[in-house]
Amino acid sequence: MQVKILGSAAGGGFPQWNCACSNCRRVREGSFHGKPRTQAQVAWSVEPNQWTLLNASPDLREQIEATPELHPRDGRKSPITEVILTGAEVDQALGLLLLREFHSFRVHATTAVRQILNEDNSLFGSLRRFPNQTCWNDIPLGRPFTAGGAHLKAIPLGGGFPGFVNGARADSADPAEASIGLLISPVAFDPPGYQDRTLAFLPGIGRIGGPFLERLKSCDVVLFDGTFWSDEEPTRIPGITRSARQMGHLPVGGPGGSLELLRSLNGTRKIYIHVNNTNPMLDESSVEHRAVRDAGWEVAYDGMEFSL
Ligand SMILES: [Zn+2]
């Protein structure tokens, strides 16, 4: 199973178009010790010339162009055959609309996310212009499912629905379906206790309990929420009043941050993804970046790839 990280930044990307924070300003000036990044996007392949997208970022068009494996080879036939959505946020789902050019593909999402996008939002009618343009599969919670030639389990992560969701839908939908993480393996999770070749995809996680932490120890690779360094970091952004934890993002540093909570995860490759442009660990000359590397973590970058 080949895994490619096409985008590694949080919503807005790095630099973000309307942001002049220290990081964004220095990237534009050419004085930043680190890489610019597009919005979080992962793709994997099990079968030759068949790729599955994990979410569909607003930067998907340029991410496809930057990835030769995702280029069409035969007329207008794209190797992208399936998309799995872990939520209905704009930076998770907007890229679906960029795949509208008379291409058939399958979308996997929880029932609530499917209803929010495909039933409540008329813009997504652009993906229903001909029969079987998109086929939507509801992701079950609590039992494994298959997609893109791989085996998956959904992990409900709590948190709320996006602010644009209408009140009736937000009131009636199951909150467990708002945001999910995924365990992904090229081989079946059965028999019980099978513990090999698993990728954990957790780009937005607000808390982590002991049993799930134990489960992560048996994963080969963890792609983990690297959005904010500290809990108060987002409150310094004009217009945002909630802390990182209140936004559903466990901070990387500080007491109870992921560096501390996951320090026992020794046998697992640990990679931060979905990094916000304000996060000081993006600066490879910073003490925060050094702390991350010294703790055995990597920070995902666009173009990173690995195999399971
Ligand atoms: Zn910025």
Side-chain angles (χ1 to χ4, degrees):
M1 180 173 178
Q2 191 180 358
V3 181
K4 293 186 76 89
I5 294 174
L6 314 185
S8 49
F14 178 50
Q16 179 172 321
W17 71 277
N18 63 343
C19 185
C21 73
S22 169
N23 283 353
C24 289
R25 186 173 43 75
R26 286 184 293 146
V27 161
R28 294 191 183 100
E29 289 172 351
S31 60
F32 188 75
H33 297 280
K35 300 176 176 69
R37 287 165 164 85
T38 60
Q39 296 170 91
Q41 179 68 55
V42 175
W44 88 70
S45 176
V46 176
E47 307 286 342
N49 295 326
Q50 289 189 27
W51 285 82
T52 297
L53 303 180
L54 272 179
N55 289 323
S57 97
D59 293 323
L60 189 55
R61 183 194 165 280
E62 65 180 275
Q63 291 165 337
I64 290 171
E65 289 305 317
T67 312
E69 294 93 329
L70 299 183
H71 293 173
R73 284 176 182 74
D74 176 23
R76 286 203 163 181
K77 201 169 182 333
S78 165
I80 296 170
T81 52
E82 306 195 37
V83 181
I84 302 176
L85 300 177
T86 61
E89 295 283 358
V90 170
D91 51 331
Q92 294 168 317
L94 183 64
L96 278 186
L97 297 173
L98 308 179
L99 302 177
R100 72 194 178 284
E101 315 283 3
F102 293 96
H103 175 63
S104 294
F105 60 102
R106 189 176 295 274
V107 185
H108 304 262
T110 62
T111 304
V113 168
R114 173 180 56 77
Q115 290 170 329
I116 289 165
L117 299 177
N118 204 34
E119 294 181 13
D120 300 347
N121 192 320
S122 60
L123 198 55
F124 281 78
S126 62
L127 298 175
R128 296 190 300 271
R129 292 168 66 203
F130 62 89
N132 301 318
Q133 183 177 3
T134 46
C135 173
W136 289 71
N137 288 37
D138 285 7
I139 292 177
L141 301 182
R143 63 178 170 81
F145 64 104
T146 57
H151 301 262
L152 299 96
K153 282 181 183 169
I155 314 293
L157 296 179
F161 289 100
F164 67 81
V165 175
N166 72 62
R169 179 67 72 196
D171 290 344
S172 63
D174 181 354
E177 296 184 354
S179 175
I180 58 169
L182 293 168
L183 299 178
I184 308 165
S185 178
V187 291
F189 291 106
D190 296 326
Y194 179 81
Q195 295 187 337
D196 221 352
R197 295 176 72 193
T198 301
L199 165 69
F201 182 65
L202 303 162
I205 183 168
R207 67 178 72 87
I208 186 161
F212 188 51
L213 182 58
E214 286 303 309
R215 179 67 185 86
L216 291 184
K217 287 179 180 174
S218 64
C219 292
D220 277 11
V221 184
V222 174
L223 288 173
F224 201 84
D225 187 335
T227 312
F228 298 112
W229 178 263
S230 66
D231 200 34
E232 66 274 11
E233 183 180 324
T235 66
R236 299 189 205 111
I237 302 170
I240 296 180
T241 55
R242 292 183 298 166
S243 71
R245 285 185 172 84
Q246 287 169 337
M247 293 173 74
H249 295 292
L250 187 65
V252 173
S258 54
L259 274 186
E260 179 182 298
L261 291 183
L262 276 66
R263 65 177 180 270
S264 60
L265 221 60
N266 294 322
T268 302
R269 186 174 178 185
K270 303 175 296 243
I271 304 170
Y272 282 119
I273 194 171
H274 196 268
V275 187
N276 197 61
N277 58 79
T278 53
N279 192 324
M281 73 180 181
L282 286 170
D283 183 344
E284 294 170 15
S285 64
S286 68
V287 293
E288 291 86 356
H289 185 83
R290 176 46 50 198
V292 164
R293 301 292 289 137
D294 286 348
W297 284 79
E298 298 166 75
V299 182
Y301 55 87
D302 296 13
M304 191 177 197
E305 57 185 307
F306 53 85
S307 298
L308 282 176

